[in-house]
């Protein structure tokens, strides 16, 4: 076997392989033996056809095709081992010669970068205690009232407590904020579901009004990428509605299958604590990951960044479709192009690639796996949420691909849990 490698781009190579006649003869023989085992000829059991008869019944073209596939698979594996590649994917297989005395092919090989995150015991992040205040419980109750509210169209301007649907986009120094845009986005003015100060800017606007303003994100803002930064918003109000909220009383509690208003408050307090516990868990995990990325040079190959960016765009497009909007319509209304969207997501895509490579390194070093029982349990839970009323799985679901996705999710969670155990200490 003669194999040569040319670099096409970062971590992408063009592999050229040539096999001579003496090597190919062995694959032809193996191909004939394999096909003979599957051959069925009248008067003989499957796999028991004499060799001379099998040779007569096996078309040469079929044998050559099977031999070629075997030769490519075997030679590719050997070439990969020689190069020491950790292959992410391949594409563009091109057989340039397939003759009795010579087989030649080229293929693009995309390689995972080598990653070493070092000693994680050197990374330390403090966990904050989770405490629930009465004010937080009251805020959660208000959110619950909002969720159970009914709405009436309002002809006048936006006021505190009203519901508004808005189109918005945000930018920093003229650069769009990744994910910082939306269409027909609903919010309750005063509900504090948006960046502090955003909802107050809507007061006095009517349906159809447009406004531009700037806000500074808090230093402790949930999105660390935006914390402390000055952000410019462009907002158009689409609808204004009055909000009719239920009172927090025993009747409201019983409508939620709770005994009384006191039981409702207790349940809300427990829910808030559980939510804050998860939020703190995610915060410390992200802080530990940021510390690793800060101390280690993790490469982000362009092909992985491109794949992640397209995944993010597809996810965004799906979220638009769930709201009854198409991506093309969205881009037209926002006076933007798909290229603008790609530019917007590129930086976050690069960061997500680096994060995924750190997790992959942990999974490899700690030999983390998803057991069949774990996969079955999560798969069943996933299917139960998308199944029809009769329990049937929607058409078009690729079960093998879904099983792989579920297994990847399980090992990623195990890697994050390991990161948390190793790097996070109590406050």
């Amino acid at each position: 076997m003669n194999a040569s490698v040319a670099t096409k781009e970062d971590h992408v190579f063009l592999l050229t392989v040539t096999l001579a006649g003496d090597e190919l003869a062995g694959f032809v023989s193996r191909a004939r033996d394999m096909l003979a085992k599957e051959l069925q000829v009248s008067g003989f059991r499957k796999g028991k056809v004499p060799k001379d008869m099998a040779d007569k019944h096996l078309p040469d073209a079929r044998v050559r095709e099977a031999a070629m596939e075997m030769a490519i698979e075997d030679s590719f594996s050997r070439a990969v081992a020689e190069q020491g590649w950790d292959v992410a994917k391949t594409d563009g297989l091109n057989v340039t010669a397939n003759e009795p005395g010579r087989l030649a092919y080229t293929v693009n090989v995309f390689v995972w970068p080598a990653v070493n995150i070092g000693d994680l015991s050197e990374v330390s992040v403090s966990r904050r205690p989770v405490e629930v205040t009465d004010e937080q419980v009251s805020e959660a109750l208000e959110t619950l009232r909002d969720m159970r509210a009914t709405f009436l169209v309002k002809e006048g301007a936006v006021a505190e407590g009203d519901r508004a649907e808005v189109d918005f986009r945000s930018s920093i120094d003229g650069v769009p904020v990744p994910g910082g845009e939306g269409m027909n986005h609903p919010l309750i003015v005063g509900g504090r579901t948006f960046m502090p100060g955003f909802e107050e800017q809507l007061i006095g606007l009517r349906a159809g009004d447009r406004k531009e303003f700037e806000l500074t994100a808090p230093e402790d803002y949930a999105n660390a990428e935006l914390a402390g930064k000055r952000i410019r918003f462009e907002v158009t109000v689409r609808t204004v509605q009055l909000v009719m909220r239920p009172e927090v009383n025993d009747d409201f509690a019983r409508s939620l299958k709770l005994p009384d208003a006191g039981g409702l408050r207790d349940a809300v307090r427990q829910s808030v604590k559980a939510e804050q516990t998860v939020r703190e868990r995610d915060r410390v995990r992200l802080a530990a990951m940021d510390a690793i990325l800060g101390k280690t040079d993790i490469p982000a190959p362009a092909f992985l960044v491109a794949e992640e960016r397209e995944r993010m765009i597809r996810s965004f497009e799906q979220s638009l479709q769930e709201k009854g909007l198409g991506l093309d319509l969205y881009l037209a209304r926002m006076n933007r192009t798909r290229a603008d969207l790609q530019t917007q997501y590129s930086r976050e895509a690069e960061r997500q690639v680096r994060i995924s490579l750190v997790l992959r390194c942990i999974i490899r070093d700690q030999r983390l796996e998803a057991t069949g029982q774990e996969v079955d349990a999560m798969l069943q839970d996933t299917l139960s949420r998308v199944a029809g009323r009769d329990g049937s799985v929607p058409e078009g679901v690729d079960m093998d691909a879904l099983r792989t996705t579920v297994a990847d999710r399980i090992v990623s969670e195990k890697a994050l849990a390991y990161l948390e155990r190793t790097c996070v200490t109590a406050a």
Side-chain angles (χ1 to χ4, degrees), residues 23-190:
E23 292 179 281
L24 294 175
F27 290 110
V28 171
S29 177
R30 285 167 52 188
R32 285 189 180 279
D33 291 344
M34 178 193 72
L35 293 173
K37 291 179 182 178
E38 300 298 321
L39 186 64
Q40 290 183 317
V41 176
S42 179
F44 296 93
R45 286 181 297 165
K46 184 178 180 180
K48 298 298 182 180
V49 180
K51 184 178 184 307
D52 58 343
M53 185 173 292
D55 288 344
K56 293 179 181 179
H57 283 80
L58 290 174
D60 287 343
R62 188 180 175 193
V63 173
R64 285 199 304 272
E65 182 180 1
M68 180 187 71
E69 292 175 356
M70 286 182 174
I72 289 175
E73 182 178 351
D74 178 84
S75 59
F76 178 77
S77 296
R78 284 187 288 151
V80 166
E82 288 176 5
Q83 295 296 326
W85 285 334
D86 184 3
V87 178
K89 67 174 185 176
T90 63
D91 74 7
L93 175 64
N94 180 29
V95 178
T96 56
N98 184 21
E99 305 162 355
R102 182 171 176 267
L103 172 66
Y105 66 89
T106 61
V107 62
N108 297 319
V109 186
F110 299 75
V111 178
W112 292 107
V115 175
N116 182 4
I117 58 177
D119 185 1
L120 291 185
S121 65
E122 297 176 357
V123 177
S124 181
V125 176
S126 295
R127 190 191 309 275
R128 300 168 184 167
V130 174
E131 299 176 351
V132 180
T133 66
D134 291 341
E135 182 181 1
Q136 290 170 328
V137 173
S138 296
E139 289 177 355
L141 283 169
E142 289 303 303
T143 300
L144 187 58
R145 292 178 67 203
D146 291 339
M147 293 172 61
R148 293 284 175 150
T150 55
F151 311 107
L152 297 175
V153 175
K154 180 179 179 180
E155 298 298 334
V158 176
E160 182 83 11
D162 287 345
R163 180 182 187 271
E165 290 188 6
V166 299
D167 294 348
F168 71 94
R169 59 180 176 178
S170 55
S171 60
I172 298 176
D173 296 330
V175 179
V177 173
E181 54 194 19
M183 294 178 66
N184 298 332
H185 184 86
L187 55 83
I188 303 296
V189 178

Side-chain angles (χ1 to χ4, degrees), residues 83-324:
Q83 295 296 326
W85 285 334
D86 184 3
V87 178
K89 67 174 185 176
T90 63
D91 74 7
L93 175 64
N94 180 29
V95 178
T96 56
N98 184 21
E99 305 162 355
R102 182 171 176 267
L103 172 66
Y105 66 89
T106 61
V107 62
N108 297 319
V109 186
F110 299 75
V111 178
W112 292 107
V115 175
N116 182 4
I117 58 177
D119 185 1
L120 291 185
S121 65
E122 297 176 357
V123 177
S124 181
V125 176
S126 295
R127 190 191 309 275
R128 300 168 184 167
V130 174
E131 299 176 351
V132 180
T133 66
D134 291 341
E135 182 181 1
Q136 290 170 328
V137 173
S138 296
E139 289 177 355
L141 283 169
E142 289 303 303
T143 300
L144 187 58
R145 292 178 67 203
D146 291 339
M147 293 172 61
R148 293 284 175 150
T150 55
F151 311 107
L152 297 175
V153 175
K154 180 179 179 180
E155 298 298 334
V158 176
E160 182 83 11
D162 287 345
R163 180 182 187 271
E165 290 188 6
V166 299
D167 294 348
F168 71 94
R169 59 180 176 178
S170 55
S171 60
I172 298 176
D173 296 330
V175 179
V177 173
E181 54 194 19
M183 294 178 66
N184 298 332
H185 184 86
L187 55 83
I188 303 296
V189 178
R192 301 182 213 176
T193 57
F194 232 88
M195 180 176 293
F198 183 93
E199 294 159 16
E200 288 79 356
Q201 292 288 336
L202 304 181
I203 294 175
L205 300 181
R206 295 173 177 267
D209 286 352
R210 183 177 181 277
K211 185 176 183 179
E212 297 185 17
F213 54 89
E214 293 187 352
L215 297 172
T216 300
E219 294 294 339
D220 61 349
Y221 194 54
N223 186 340
E225 292 286 319
L226 303 180
K229 294 183 178 178
R230 191 71 175 168
I231 304 172
R232 183 173 186 78
F233 290 93
E234 301 172 30
V235 180
T236 300
V237 177
R238 293 298 176 187
T239 63
V240 183
Q241 296 173 315
L242 291 171
V243 181
M244 313 300 290
R245 298 178 180 84
E247 294 297 323
V248 178
N249 52 29
D250 291 348
D251 289 338
F252 182 44
R254 283 190 284 270
S255 74
L256 298 172
K257 299 183 179 180
L258 292 166
D260 50 35
L264 173 59
R265 287 185 176 276
D266 290 342
V268 167
R269 183 177 293 275
Q270 293 174 11
S271 176
V272 171
K273 185 172 183 178
E275 181 181 339
Q276 289 191 351
T277 299
V278 171
R279 188 179 297 134
E280 178 61 12
R281 180 204 67 187
D282 293 343
R283 186 195 70 81
V284 295
R285 287 179 174 183
L286 182 59
M289 183 64 72
D290 285 340
I292 294 171
L293 295 180
K295 78 179 187 68
T296 311
D297 183 18
I298 307 293
F303 78 90
L304 289 176
V305 174
E307 288 178 354
E308 176 62 19
R309 183 176 60 229
E310 288 306 307
R311 185 199 66 76
M312 295 170 72
I313 292 175
R314 286 196 303 271
S315 178
F316 177 62
E317 184 173 13
Q318 183 177 353
S319 70
L320 288 176
Q321 291 172 347
E322 291 171 354
K323 298 176 183 178

Side-chain angles (χ1 to χ4, degrees), residues 169 176 181 313 316 327-345:
R169 59 180 176 178
E181 54 194 19
I313 292 175
F316 177 62
L327 181 60
D328 290 340
L329 175 61
Y330 168 84
L331 292 173
R333 276 175 80 172
M334 292 295 183
N335 193 28
R336 303 182 66 195
T337 66
R338 189 177 183 89
D340 293 332
L341 211 57
Q342 291 175 332
T343 299
Q344 172 184 332
Y345 282 110

Side-chain angles (χ1 to χ4, degrees), residues 327-364:
L327 181 60
D328 290 340
L329 175 61
Y330 168 84
L331 292 173
R333 276 175 80 172
M334 292 295 183
N335 193 28
R336 303 182 66 195
T337 66
R338 189 177 183 89
D340 293 332
L341 211 57
Q342 291 175 332
T343 299
Q344 172 184 332
Y345 282 110
S346 288
R347 183 178 178 184
E348 180 60 22
E350 181 176 339
R351 182 171 181 273
Q352 288 302 319
V353 165
R354 297 178 71 207
I355 287 174
S356 68
L357 290 173
V358 170
L359 292 178
R360 191 171 184 273
C361 183
I362 294 174
I363 292 167
R364 178 200 66 202

